[in-house]
Amino acid sequence: MNPIFAQTATSVFETMSRLARQFDAVNLGQGFPDDPGPQDVRQKAADAVMTGWNQYPPMMGIPELRQSIARHYKRFHQLDLDWENEVMVTSGATEALAGALLALIEPGDEVVLFQPMYDAYLPLVKRAGGIPRFVTLRPPHWRIDEEQLRAVFNKKTRVVLLNNPLNPTGSVFLREDLDLLARYVVEHDCIVVCDEVWEHVLFDDIEHTPLLTLPSLRNRVVKIGSAGKIFSLTGWKVGFVCAAPEILRVVAKAHQYVTFTTPPNLQAAVAYGLDKDDGYFVGSRRDFQAARDRFAAGLEKLGLSVLPSSATYFLNVDLTKGRFAGMTDNAFSIRLVEEARVASIPVSAFYAEESVTSVVRFCFAKKFETLDEALKRLDAFMARA
Ligand code: PMP
Ligand code: GLN
């Protein structure tokens, strides 16, 4: 059997969700909202199942959705995308990542990864034959350090895999960081796979800059998005890829042999959803931000040190400050789920080497009552601990 998968542990999300069920914990580990998602978008999907086409849709995605993706990025980022040659629908961002990495990496190519990194990245890069080279980001600001870029980029570097906004840190790279990276990418003639699934989950009026909008990178970026995050429908697994025609053509070849298509009814509903007016997107940010603020304030009141979170469903607690100093994130997360009955995710799970072991991630994309119950349990745990 292939050792990359034979030796890989079960994902931390699955493991923590299993422990959450076992201990009847409030699950703030795996990232999913407890809001059911917009009713009109779900209704469109239901209608499309009953009255629409339920056979294979076109391999690249239904034209309505590809056009809607192009319109959406024009509206939000003034991106001009040719929907017929630069936009493809995939079965979630995960399939888009797998397809892009399979299509772009030649065995022996070096691939630059930024850790902490989403758990799927490393096995996919390795299975495609890529040699990972890591840039390590550190709390509290998770910035890109030029010295590390200089150390990892060389003439074998072919692909860079970046996640912005970044899960698990809840941070957004500054324009300065993106410009710095762009310089190295152009100098070394690389392609960047940019996972932007969290592009709409932003707070405090922070702006997201799609890497594809940097003029020097217009023909060097594979932009990946996901309707799962945009509409709080994480189980839908409708993703999209935008890239210059010569890149997309090759990524499409991988897609045609991995999943080939994505359920047409969900595609129709996402096509409708991406055209929703600005109010929907603003409202969704406002609601997540209110949940973030409530949970952050509650944690701080308990004496925990909360790191800044300006995007995603997540905020992080820094264990180096306060009464849990010295405890690892793994040990803390396990105690929390077993004794406080609150599930979280240890951020060291997102590092392959030189791990930061003092940060624990919580998902705040929950109803206030869920967050309040978690805080109540943490309070009781801390009184006992
Ligand atoms: N990339 C990142 C950074 C994510 O956080 C997630 C899901 N949480 C994904 C990819 C996967 O997205 P999808 O469910 O659309 O496959
Ligand atoms: N992306 C989600 C998170 O970061 C989980 C996805 C998964 O369970 N694979 O929590």
Side-chain angles (χ1 to χ4, degrees):
M1 284 179 282
N2 186 279
I4 294 166
F5 293 116
Q7 288 161 14
T8 295
T10 301
S11 110
V12 67
F13 308 117
E14 185 68 24
T15 304
M16 289 309 298
S17 282
R18 200 179 317 131
L19 286 173
R21 284 192 294 275
Q22 186 184 333
F23 290 98
D24 193 22
V26 177
N27 191 356
L28 306 184
Q30 192 176 32
F32 58 89
D34 55 11
D35 181 272
Q39 218 245 320
D40 54 348
V41 176
R42 288 183 291 124
Q43 187 62 52
K44 282 280 169 196
D47 294 347
V49 168
M50 296 314 292
T51 59
W53 178 254
N54 283 287
Q55 310 306 334
Y56 294 128
M59 187 268 278
M60 295 295 284
I62 63 170
E64 299 89 297
L65 176 53
R66 296 167 70 203
Q67 288 161 4
S68 167
I69 292 165
R71 268 197 307 277
H72 188 81
Y73 288 132
K74 176 80 183 162
R75 166 159 61 126
F76 283 96
H77 300 295
Q78 298 75 50
L79 248 174
D80 281 308
L81 290 164
D82 164 7
W83 71 270
E84 284 180 287
N85 294 299
E86 296 191 309
V87 179
M88 179 174 79
V89 179
T90 58
S91 294
T94 309
E95 195 237 326
L97 285 160
L101 296 170
L102 286 172
L104 299 174
I105 296 172
E106 259 279 276
D109 285 349
E110 292 196 7
V111 179
V112 173
L113 293 153
F114 296 82
Q115 50 174 11
M117 67 199 152
Y118 187 58
D119 70 337
Y121 292 1
L122 189 54
L124 290 173
V125 165
K126 284 191 181 160
R127 193 64 187 91
I131 314 291
R133 300 295 308 270
F134 299 106
V135 171
T136 300
L137 309 173
R138 295 181 190 284
H141 299 300
W142 316 99
R143 301 277 313 267
I144 298 178
D145 159 38
E146 178 160 14
E147 226 164 275
Q148 288 194 56
L149 290 188
R150 211 175 296 128
V152 296
F153 272 87
N154 64 67
K155 58 180 187 318
K156 288 193 239 139
T157 314
R158 296 266 52 90
V159 175
V160 176
L161 177 45
L162 185 74
N163 175 211
N164 186 36
L166 183 62
N167 174 14
T169 61
S171 57
V172 177
F173 288 109
L174 299 179
R175 178 60 191 247
E176 242 171 280
D177 289 320
L178 301 181
D179 285 336
L180 171 67
L181 180 64
R183 240 190 327 110
Y184 278 79
V185 168
V186 173
E187 231 168 79
H188 294 83
D189 195 16
C190 304
I191 294 181
V192 192
V193 177
C194 198
D195 175 345
E196 299 182 350
V197 301
W198 298 102
E199 61 199 330
H200 274 296
V201 190
L202 298 167
F203 316 122
D204 309 321
D205 298 319
I206 281 197
E207 294 278 327
H208 166 70
T209 304
L211 205 62
L212 198 57
T213 59
L214 268 57
S216 66
L217 296 188
R218 181 62 178 79
N219 296 317
R220 292 184 180 277
V221 170
V222 175
K223 172 174 171 44
I224 293 178
S226 173
K229 303 298 183 302
I230 299 178
F231 300 110
S232 300
L233 296 163
T234 59
W236 272 24
K237 306 300 280 192
V238 178
F240 14 96
V241 178
C242 304
E246 57 276 21
I247 300 177
L248 190 69
R249 197 172 47 77
V250 185
V251 177
K253 296 289 161 53
H255 161 74
Q256 77 177 341
Y257 295 132
V258 178
T259 59
F260 183 64
T261 51
T262 300
N265 15 70
L266 297 183
Q267 289 193 53
V270 172
Y272 160 84
L274 290 175
D275 278 334
K276 277 169 83 72
D277 62 29
D278 291 3
Y280 167 74
F281 299 93
V282 172
S284 151
R285 284 179 197 187
R286 190 191 49 225
D287 294 349
F288 284 130
Q289 183 168 322
R292 176 201 65 171
D293 291 346
R294 188 178 185 97
F295 196 56
L299 291 174
E300 268 159 7
K301 207 164 140 213
L302 294 176
L304 294 166
S305 168
V306 177
L307 292 168
S309 155
S310 44
T312 76
Y313 299 157
F314 311 115
L315 60 73
N316 290 283
V317 164
D318 176 4
L319 297 177
T320 60
K321 300 195 185 80
R323 58 189 284 195
F324 296 104
M327 195 186 266
T328 65
D329 57 350
N330 276 317
F332 185 76
S333 278
I334 294 293
R335 273 198 74 184
L336 227 54
V337 71
E338 291 180 354
E339 297 175 36
R341 294 192 300 122
V342 174
S344 59
I345 300 281
V347 165
S348 57
F350 296 76
Y351 285 82
E353 54 183 36
E354 281 189 80
S355 180
V356 169
T357 56
S358 54
V359 179
V360 178
R361 190 192 85 172
F362 292 89
C363 173
F364 57 74
K366 305 289 178 191
K367 296 191 191 90
F368 283 178
E369 65 205 73
T370 311
L371 297 175
D372 293 347
E373 174 61 25
L375 289 167
K376 201 171 94 195
R377 291 182 185 198
L378 288 172
D379 189 19
F381 163 75
M382 289 183 63
R384 288 192 309 269

